[in-house]
Amino acid sequence: MTIRILLWACLCGLYASNCPAQTTVHSFLETIDVKTGKRTVVYSEPTLFEAPNWSKDGRYLLFNKKGRLYRYWLNDGIVDELPLDSSLSANNDHGFSPDGQLVVISGYRQTTGGGSFLYTTPAEGGPLKPLIRQSPAFWHGWSPDGKTLAFVGLRNGDFDIYTVPADGGTEKRLTHEKGLDDGPDFSPDGKYIYFNSFRSGRMQIWRMDADGQDPQQLTDDHYANWFPHPSPNGKLVVFLSFMEDQQQEHPFGKNVQLRLLDMVTQTVRDLTPVFFGGQGTINVPSWSPDGRHLAFVSYRVQ
C-alpha cells in the first residue's frame, strides 16, 4: 500500500491499527482574505473532513467526509450531501470543471477492486463516468478550456504527473524524474502546470509547460512545499508548507503554513501563521471565483 493510500485509509478509519487509539479529530472549515489575512471559521465538526473546493458560482464549499462529498452553503450555513453512487468512496482529490457543470472525483469503488480511479459527475450529483483504466490516480487540476485533466498516478513504482482527456481516454505521462511528483494544477491561461516535486532532494514548487516540457523550480527553501494552486488571475500561487522536512510524505497532524508565491515579483510571503494541519488542509484548488479568498481546513486532535 502506498503512503498516500495508507494515510487516507487511516484517516477514514479503514485501517485502525495504523492510527492513534482514542483520538477525536475536530475539523474547522476556514476562509481567509488573501489581502488582509483575516481568517473566518465558517463550519466545524468533531470528525475528520478535508479538501474544500469553492463552487464556481461562489455559493458553497465542497468537501469530503468519510468517503462522501458534502456542500457547505455559505449564505445559510446548511450542509447537505452531494447525491452520488453509494458504491463510491471519495478521497480528498476532487474539484469543479471550469464551467462549474461537472465535478471530478478521485475515489474507490467496490466494483473496481479498491484502487483510486477518476470519475466525473454532474455538479448537482448523479451517475459517475469513469475516465481512466489504471489506478491509483489522484486528480489535482482541470485545464481552463475544460478539455484536459491533470492527475498523479503510481505507475511502475513511481508517482508521476499525467494528463487525460476530460471525456476519458488514454493517459499521457508528463514527468519522468525519479522521486515523487505531485499536485499538478493548470495556470489560468493553460500554458503551464504547477506542481510539487522531490527531484531536487527536497519537496519544492515547480512549473512546467502544459505538455511537460521546460520544468523550472520556483521555490528553494528549508520547508517541504506541497499542492500549488494559482489564483484566478494567475498572479499568485498558494501552497502548503510543512515546517518539518517530510521527505516524500504529506501527513496529517503537522505544523504547517499557507504561503503565497507572487509570480510578478517572484517573492514568497506567509499567508497564515503556523497551524495544525497537513493532509486534507488544501489538497485541491480552493480559490474563490473572484480570487479574494481561499478555503482550507485546520484541525485539532483530542
Side-chain angles (χ1 to χ4, degrees):
M1 180 178 289
T2 67
I3 291 172
R4 285 180 65 111
I5 297 173
L6 179 58
L7 285 169
W8 177 85
C10 172
L11 292 172
C12 290
L14 301 179
Y15 290 85
S17 62
N18 297 303
C19 306
Q22 305 299 319
T23 295
T24 299
V25 177
H26 294 256
S27 302
F28 300 87
L29 180 58
E30 299 193 43
T31 63
I32 184 168
D33 186 305
V34 174
K35 185 176 181 179
T36 67
K38 181 181 178 181
R39 293 166 59 175
T40 303
V41 175
V42 298
Y43 179 69
S44 65
E45 276 193 76
T47 189
L48 180 94
F49 61 75
E50 304 174 295
N53 311 115
W54 215 299
S55 67
K56 296 300 180 178
D57 60 10
R59 297 174 62 199
Y60 64 89
L61 300 172
L62 183 73
F63 62 91
N64 62 285
K65 178 180 70 172
K66 298 180 180 179
R68 311 306 296 168
L69 292 181
Y70 293 85
R71 297 173 292 195
Y72 174 79
W73 295 87
L74 290 160
N75 285 341
D76 52 26
I78 293 174
V79 175
D80 62 5
E81 183 177 344
L82 189 71
L84 296 172
D85 188 324
S86 61
S87 70
L88 177 73
S89 183
N91 58 47
N92 51 35
D93 296 319
H94 45 74
F96 293 96
S97 60
D99 62 6
Q101 298 301 304
L102 297 174
V103 171
V104 61
I105 306 168
S106 309
Y108 309 80
R109 296 179 80 179
Q110 301 166 358
T111 55
T112 58
S116 178
F117 288 84
L118 303 184
Y119 306 90
T120 53
T121 189
E124 295 302 315
L128 299 172
K129 179 179 179 179
L131 302 179
I132 59 172
R133 299 182 180 89
Q134 297 185 67
S135 73
F138 304 91
W139 174 85
H140 282 279
W142 205 315
S143 65
D145 63 6
K147 295 180 179 180
T148 306
L149 302 175
F151 69 94
V152 178
L154 177 63
R155 310 287 186 263
N156 301 315
D158 202 13
F159 279 107
D160 279 295
I161 294 170
Y162 294 79
T163 57
V164 67
D167 289 332
T170 302
E171 62 187 43
K172 179 182 179 182
R173 183 178 177 182
L174 298 187
T175 59
H176 298 82
E177 298 286 337
K178 285 296 181 182
L180 179 69
D181 295 308
D182 205 342
D185 196 4
F186 286 90
S187 62
D189 59 10
K191 293 181 179 180
Y192 304 105
I193 291 177
Y194 291 86
F195 64 105
N196 54 276
S197 177
F198 196 72
R199 64 186 64 189
S200 67
R202 186 181 295 274
M203 192 63 72
Q204 295 294 312
I205 304 303
W206 289 67
R207 186 176 77 172
M208 61 184 171
D209 295 344
D211 62 1
Q213 300 299 307
D214 193 24
Q216 299 176 346
Q217 186 173 342
L218 300 179
T219 63
D220 185 12
D221 55 39
H222 61 281
Y223 301 116
N225 299 321
W226 288 78
F227 304 133
H229 304 300
S231 60
N233 65 10
K235 294 182 179 180
L236 297 173
V237 178
V238 67
F239 58 94
L240 181 70
S241 290
F242 288 82
M243 300 297 98
E244 304 170 13
D245 188 350
Q246 299 300 322
Q247 298 296 315
Q248 298 186 71
E249 303 176 19
H250 53 97
F252 170 84
K254 296 293 181 179
N255 289 325
V256 297
Q257 277 184 302
L258 294 181
R259 302 167 73 207
L260 286 173
L261 170 61
D262 188 316
M263 294 305 298
V264 177
T265 63
Q266 297 294 302
T267 57
V268 175
R269 67 177 175 91
D270 297 341
L271 180 59
T272 67
V274 175
F275 64 92
F276 191 73
Q279 169 79 307
T281 289
I282 192 168
N283 297 57
V284 287
S286 62
W287 286 91
S288 63
D290 60 10
R292 295 177 56 186
H293 297 83
L294 282 157
F296 66 101
V297 182
S298 60
Y299 299 99
R300 185 175 71 240
V301 174
Q302 294 178 331

mmCIF file of all heavy atoms in Angstrom, residues 170-199:
data_model
loop_
_atom_site.group_PDB
_atom_site.id
_atom_site.type_symbol
_atom_site.label_atom_id
_atom_site.label_comp_id
_atom_site.label_asym_id
_atom_site.label_seq_id
_atom_site.Cartn_x
_atom_site.Cartn_y
_atom_site.Cartn_z
ATOM 1 N N THR A 170 -6.921 7.868 -23.207
ATOM 2 C CA THR A 170 -5.559 7.429 -22.951
ATOM 3 C C THR A 170 -4.808 8.465 -22.129
ATOM 4 O O THR A 170 -4.785 9.649 -22.467
ATOM 5 C CB THR A 170 -4.808 7.192 -24.276
ATOM 6 O OG1 THR A 170 -5.519 6.218 -25.040
ATOM 7 C CG2 THR A 170 -3.399 6.696 -24.012
ATOM 8 N N GLU A 171 -4.192 8.025 -21.058
ATOM 9 C CA GLU A 171 -3.422 8.939 -20.226
ATOM 10 C C GLU A 171 -2.058 9.200 -20.840
ATOM 11 O O GLU A 171 -1.481 8.348 -21.530
ATOM 12 C CB GLU A 171 -3.267 8.374 -18.812
ATOM 13 C CG GLU A 171 -2.520 7.066 -18.744
ATOM 14 C CD GLU A 171 -2.558 6.478 -17.339
ATOM 15 O OE1 GLU A 171 -3.632 6.503 -16.694
ATOM 16 O OE2 GLU A 171 -1.512 5.977 -16.885
ATOM 17 N N LYS A 172 -1.522 10.403 -20.575
ATOM 18 C CA LYS A 172 -0.223 10.817 -21.105
ATOM 19 C C LYS A 172 0.684 11.195 -19.950
ATOM 20 O O LYS A 172 0.355 12.048 -19.130
ATOM 21 C CB LYS A 172 -0.387 12.014 -22.042
ATOM 22 C CG LYS A 172 0.921 12.532 -22.616
ATOM 23 C CD LYS A 172 0.690 13.762 -23.494
ATOM 24 C CE LYS A 172 1.995 14.311 -24.047
ATOM 25 N NZ LYS A 172 1.772 15.537 -24.873
ATOM 26 N N ARG A 173 1.858 10.577 -19.890
ATOM 27 C CA ARG A 173 2.818 10.856 -18.825
ATOM 28 C C ARG A 173 3.602 12.118 -19.151
ATOM 29 O O ARG A 173 4.144 12.269 -20.247
ATOM 30 C CB ARG A 173 3.772 9.671 -18.672
ATOM 31 C CG ARG A 173 4.771 9.810 -17.531
ATOM 32 C CD ARG A 173 5.632 8.564 -17.445
ATOM 33 N NE ARG A 173 6.649 8.677 -16.406
ATOM 34 C CZ ARG A 173 7.553 7.737 -16.154
ATOM 35 N NH1 ARG A 173 7.570 6.622 -16.886
ATOM 36 N NH2 ARG A 173 8.450 7.914 -15.193
ATOM 37 N N LEU A 174 3.697 13.041 -18.164
ATOM 38 C CA LEU A 174 4.395 14.305 -18.371
ATOM 39 C C LEU A 174 5.733 14.386 -17.642
ATOM 40 O O LEU A 174 6.608 15.149 -18.063
ATOM 41 C CB LEU A 174 3.524 15.477 -17.918
ATOM 42 C CG LEU A 174 2.205 15.692 -18.641
ATOM 43 C CD1 LEU A 174 1.565 16.992 -18.168
ATOM 44 C CD2 LEU A 174 2.366 15.695 -20.151
ATOM 45 N N THR A 175 5.885 13.685 -16.524
ATOM 46 C CA THR A 175 7.133 13.748 -15.765
ATOM 47 C C THR A 175 7.805 12.382 -15.754
ATOM 48 O O THR A 175 7.138 11.345 -15.742
ATOM 49 C CB THR A 175 6.897 14.220 -14.322
ATOM 50 O OG1 THR A 175 5.980 13.322 -13.673
ATOM 51 C CG2 THR A 175 6.327 15.623 -14.305
ATOM 52 N N HIS A 176 9.144 12.402 -15.733
ATOM 53 C CA HIS A 176 9.903 11.154 -15.817
ATOM 54 C C HIS A 176 11.052 11.118 -14.815
ATOM 55 O O HIS A 176 11.839 10.167 -14.815
ATOM 56 C CB HIS A 176 10.464 10.970 -17.231
ATOM 57 C CG HIS A 176 9.411 10.857 -18.285
ATOM 58 N ND1 HIS A 176 8.784 11.962 -18.835
ATOM 59 C CD2 HIS A 176 8.860 9.771 -18.877
ATOM 60 C CE1 HIS A 176 7.900 11.564 -19.737
ATOM 61 N NE2 HIS A 176 7.924 10.244 -19.786
ATOM 62 N N GLU A 177 11.159 12.138 -13.966
ATOM 63 C CA GLU A 177 12.234 12.179 -12.984
ATOM 64 C C GLU A 177 11.958 11.200 -11.847
ATOM 65 O O GLU A 177 10.809 10.947 -11.485
ATOM 66 C CB GLU A 177 12.361 13.592 -12.404
ATOM 67 C CG GLU A 177 12.724 14.661 -13.412
ATOM 68 C CD GLU A 177 14.175 14.583 -13.838
ATOM 69 O OE1 GLU A 177 14.984 14.025 -13.073
ATOM 70 O OE2 GLU A 177 14.490 15.091 -14.935
ATOM 71 N N LYS A 178 13.029 10.656 -11.259
ATOM 72 C CA LYS A 178 12.882 9.829 -10.076
ATOM 73 C C LYS A 178 12.500 10.710 -8.888
ATOM 74 O O LYS A 178 12.929 11.850 -8.766
ATOM 75 C CB LYS A 178 14.183 9.090 -9.774
ATOM 76 C CG LYS A 178 14.447 7.920 -10.720
ATOM 77 C CD LYS A 178 13.374 6.849 -10.553
ATOM 78 C CE LYS A 178 13.635 5.662 -11.475
ATOM 79 N NZ LYS A 178 12.564 4.636 -11.349
ATOM 80 N N GLY A 179 11.708 10.149 -7.990
ATOM 81 C CA GLY A 179 11.204 10.920 -6.858
ATOM 82 C C GLY A 179 9.797 11.399 -7.133
ATOM 83 O O GLY A 179 9.360 11.537 -8.275
ATOM 84 N N LEU A 180 9.082 11.661 -6.088
ATOM 85 C CA LEU A 180 7.665 11.986 -6.177
ATOM 86 C C LEU A 180 7.410 13.310 -6.885
ATOM 87 O O LEU A 180 8.007 14.334 -6.546
ATOM 88 C CB LEU A 180 7.067 12.041 -4.771
ATOM 89 C CG LEU A 180 5.583 12.387 -4.677
ATOM 90 C CD1 LEU A 180 4.735 11.267 -5.232
ATOM 91 C CD2 LEU A 180 5.191 12.658 -3.226
ATOM 92 N N ASP A 181 6.522 13.297 -7.870
ATOM 93 C CA ASP A 181 5.926 14.499 -8.458
ATOM 94 C C ASP A 181 4.443 14.468 -8.123
ATOM 95 O O ASP A 181 3.794 13.424 -8.256
ATOM 96 C CB ASP A 181 6.117 14.527 -9.974
ATOM 97 C CG ASP A 181 7.582 14.640 -10.373
ATOM 98 O OD1 ASP A 181 8.261 15.538 -9.867
ATOM 99 O OD2 ASP A 181 8.036 13.814 -11.183
ATOM 100 N N ASP A 182 3.877 15.591 -7.722
ATOM 101 C CA ASP A 182 2.509 15.573 -7.200
ATOM 102 C C ASP A 182 1.875 16.945 -7.406
ATOM 103 O O ASP A 182 2.519 17.915 -7.802
ATOM 104 C CB ASP A 182 2.539 15.221 -5.710
ATOM 105 C CG ASP A 182 1.249 14.605 -5.201
ATOM 106 O OD1 ASP A 182 0.211 14.746 -5.879
ATOM 107 O OD2 ASP A 182 1.259 13.987 -4.126
ATOM 108 N N GLY A 183 0.565 17.021 -7.120
ATOM 109 C CA GLY A 183 -0.160 18.277 -7.028
ATOM 110 C C GLY A 183 -0.269 19.114 -8.282
ATOM 111 O O GLY A 183 -0.214 20.347 -8.196
ATOM 112 N N PRO A 184 -0.451 18.542 -9.479
ATOM 113 C CA PRO A 184 -0.478 19.379 -10.688
ATOM 114 C C PRO A 184 -1.734 20.231 -10.793
ATOM 115 O O PRO A 184 -2.841 19.744 -10.608
ATOM 116 C CB PRO A 184 -0.424 18.349 -11.822
ATOM 117 C CG PRO A 184 -1.098 17.140 -11.250
ATOM 118 C CD PRO A 184 -0.672 17.123 -9.805
ATOM 119 N N ASP A 185 -1.562 21.506 -11.106
ATOM 120 C CA ASP A 185 -2.691 22.400 -11.322
ATOM 121 C C ASP A 185 -2.338 23.370 -12.442
ATOM 122 O O ASP A 185 -1.230 23.912 -12.474
ATOM 123 C CB ASP A 185 -3.032 23.170 -10.045
ATOM 124 C CG ASP A 185 -4.410 23.805 -10.091
ATOM 125 O OD1 ASP A 185 -5.138 23.589 -11.089
ATOM 126 O OD2 ASP A 185 -4.766 24.518 -9.127
ATOM 127 N N PHE A 186 -3.272 23.597 -13.352
ATOM 128 C CA PHE A 186 -3.043 24.440 -14.527
ATOM 129 C C PHE A 186 -3.042 25.925 -14.177
ATOM 130 O O PHE A 186 -3.798 26.374 -13.298
ATOM 131 C CB PHE A 186 -4.131 24.208 -15.568
ATOM 132 C CG PHE A 186 -4.011 22.907 -16.317
ATOM 133 C CD1 PHE A 186 -4.627 21.766 -15.844
ATOM 134 C CD2 PHE A 186 -3.295 22.840 -17.507
ATOM 135 C CE1 PHE A 186 -4.535 20.568 -16.534
ATOM 136 C CE2 PHE A 186 -3.193 21.649 -18.209
ATOM 137 C CZ PHE A 186 -3.807 20.510 -17.722
ATOM 138 N N SER A 187 -2.237 26.690 -14.877
ATOM 139 C CA SER A 187 -2.338 28.148 -14.819
ATOM 140 C C SER A 187 -3.619 28.583 -15.521
ATOM 141 O O SER A 187 -4.145 27.863 -16.383
ATOM 142 C CB SER A 187 -1.127 28.792 -15.491
ATOM 143 O OG SER A 187 -1.057 28.439 -16.862
ATOM 144 N N PRO A 188 -4.172 29.754 -15.165
ATOM 145 C CA PRO A 188 -5.439 30.188 -15.767
ATOM 146 C C PRO A 188 -5.400 30.362 -17.281
ATOM 147 O O PRO A 188 -6.440 30.265 -17.934
ATOM 148 C CB PRO A 188 -5.714 31.526 -15.074
ATOM 149 C CG PRO A 188 -4.970 31.451 -13.800
ATOM 150 C CD PRO A 188 -3.741 30.651 -14.096
ATOM 151 N N ASP A 189 -4.215 30.598 -17.844
ATOM 152 C CA ASP A 189 -4.122 30.723 -19.299
ATOM 153 C C ASP A 189 -3.839 29.389 -19.988
ATOM 154 O O ASP A 189 -3.748 29.327 -21.213
ATOM 155 C CB ASP A 189 -3.048 31.743 -19.683
ATOM 156 C CG ASP A 189 -1.654 31.379 -19.161
ATOM 157 O OD1 ASP A 189 -1.462 30.255 -18.674
ATOM 158 O OD2 ASP A 189 -0.758 32.248 -19.242
ATOM 159 N N GLY A 190 -3.688 28.328 -19.196
ATOM 160 C CA GLY A 190 -3.482 26.992 -19.755
ATOM 161 C C GLY A 190 -2.085 26.708 -20.254
ATOM 162 O O GLY A 190 -1.815 25.618 -20.759
ATOM 163 N N LYS A 191 -1.161 27.659 -20.108
ATOM 164 C CA LYS A 191 0.185 27.476 -20.642
ATOM 165 C C LYS A 191 1.064 26.592 -19.768
ATOM 166 O O LYS A 191 1.989 25.939 -20.258
ATOM 167 C CB LYS A 191 0.869 28.833 -20.822
ATOM 168 C CG LYS A 191 0.246 29.721 -21.885
ATOM 169 C CD LYS A 191 1.016 31.030 -21.996
ATOM 170 C CE LYS A 191 0.428 31.920 -23.080
ATOM 171 N NZ LYS A 191 1.191 33.211 -23.184
ATOM 172 N N TYR A 192 0.783 26.589 -18.465
ATOM 173 C CA TYR A 192 1.678 25.911 -17.528
ATOM 174 C C TYR A 192 0.914 24.955 -16.626
ATOM 175 O O TYR A 192 -0.297 25.077 -16.434
ATOM 176 C CB TYR A 192 2.403 26.940 -16.652
ATOM 177 C CG TYR A 192 3.163 27.983 -17.419
ATOM 178 C CD1 TYR A 192 2.677 29.287 -17.523
ATOM 179 C CD2 TYR A 192 4.369 27.680 -18.038
ATOM 180 C CE1 TYR A 192 3.377 30.259 -18.218
ATOM 181 C CE2 TYR A 192 5.077 28.643 -18.745
ATOM 182 C CZ TYR A 192 4.577 29.927 -18.834
ATOM 183 O OH TYR A 192 5.265 30.881 -19.531
ATOM 184 N N ILE A 193 1.679 24.043 -16.026
ATOM 185 C CA ILE A 193 1.200 23.212 -14.934
ATOM 186 C C ILE A 193 2.136 23.432 -13.757
ATOM 187 O O ILE A 193 3.355 23.240 -13.868
ATOM 188 C CB ILE A 193 1.164 21.721 -15.309
ATOM 189 C CG1 ILE A 193 0.074 21.466 -16.356
ATOM 190 C CG2 ILE A 193 0.907 20.860 -14.066
ATOM 191 C CD1 ILE A 193 0.014 20.029 -16.844
ATOM 192 N N TYR A 194 1.581 23.877 -12.639
ATOM 193 C CA TYR A 194 2.327 23.983 -11.399
ATOM 194 C C TYR A 194 2.263 22.639 -10.684
ATOM 195 O O TYR A 194 1.241 21.938 -10.735
ATOM 196 C CB TYR A 194 1.729 25.069 -10.510
ATOM 197 C CG TYR A 194 1.930 26.470 -11.043
ATOM 198 C CD1 TYR A 194 1.029 27.036 -11.955
ATOM 199 C CD2 TYR A 194 3.010 27.239 -10.632
ATOM 200 C CE1 TYR A 194 1.213 28.318 -12.447
ATOM 201 C CE2 TYR A 194 3.208 28.529 -11.117
ATOM 202 C CZ TYR A 194 2.302 29.059 -12.024
ATOM 203 O OH TYR A 194 2.492 30.332 -12.515
ATOM 204 N N PHE A 195 3.333 22.284 -9.976
ATOM 205 C CA PHE A 195 3.353 21.010 -9.263
ATOM 206 C C PHE A 195 4.425 21.062 -8.185
ATOM 207 O O PHE A 195 5.237 21.989 -8.126
ATOM 208 C CB PHE A 195 3.594 19.845 -10.230
ATOM 209 C CG PHE A 195 4.938 19.841 -10.932
ATOM 210 C CD1 PHE A 195 5.943 18.960 -10.547
ATOM 211 C CD2 PHE A 195 5.198 20.715 -11.984
ATOM 212 C CE1 PHE A 195 7.174 18.946 -11.192
ATOM 213 C CE2 PHE A 195 6.423 20.701 -12.652
ATOM 214 C CZ PHE A 195 7.429 19.821 -12.242
ATOM 215 N N ASN A 196 4.406 20.070 -7.300
ATOM 216 C CA ASN A 196 5.485 19.938 -6.327
ATOM 217 C C ASN A 196 6.287 18.679 -6.647
ATOM 218 O O ASN A 196 5.742 17.679 -7.119
ATOM 219 C CB ASN A 196 4.965 19.916 -4.890
ATOM 220 C CG ASN A 196 3.909 18.877 -4.619
ATOM 221 O OD1 ASN A 196 2.720 19.124 -4.891
ATOM 222 N ND2 ASN A 196 4.305 17.731 -4.078
ATOM 223 N N SER A 197 7.585 18.772 -6.411
ATOM 224 C CA SER A 197 8.476 17.683 -6.808
ATOM 225 C C SER A 197 9.614 17.526 -5.812
ATOM 226 O O SER A 197 10.109 18.512 -5.250
ATOM 227 C CB SER A 197 9.047 17.941 -8.200
ATOM 228 O OG SER A 197 9.967 16.913 -8.569
ATOM 229 N N PHE A 198 10.059 16.268 -5.654
ATOM 230 C CA PHE A 198 11.178 15.936 -4.791
ATOM 231 C C PHE A 198 12.474 15.759 -5.587
ATOM 232 O O PHE A 198 13.489 15.330 -5.051
ATOM 233 C CB PHE A 198 10.864 14.647 -4.017
ATOM 234 C CG PHE A 198 11.757 14.397 -2.840
ATOM 235 C CD1 PHE A 198 11.646 15.149 -1.690
ATOM 236 C CD2 PHE A 198 12.717 13.388 -2.878
ATOM 237 C CE1 PHE A 198 12.470 14.915 -0.594
ATOM 238 C CE2 PHE A 198 13.541 13.143 -1.798
ATOM 239 C CZ PHE A 198 13.424 13.912 -0.643
ATOM 240 N N ARG A 199 12.443 16.088 -6.855
ATOM 241 C CA ARG A 199 13.578 15.790 -7.726
ATOM 242 C C ARG A 199 14.866 16.498 -7.329
ATOM 243 O O ARG A 199 15.957 16.058 -7.711
ATOM 244 C CB ARG A 199 13.223 16.127 -9.178
ATOM 245 C CG ARG A 199 12.962 17.589 -9.445
ATOM 246 C CD ARG A 199 12.477 17.829 -10.870
ATOM 247 N NE ARG A 199 11.192 17.206 -11.129
ATOM 248 C CZ ARG A 199 10.630 17.126 -12.327
ATOM 249 N NH1 ARG A 199 11.238 17.654 -13.374
ATOM 250 N NH2 ARG A 199 9.458 16.550 -12.479
#
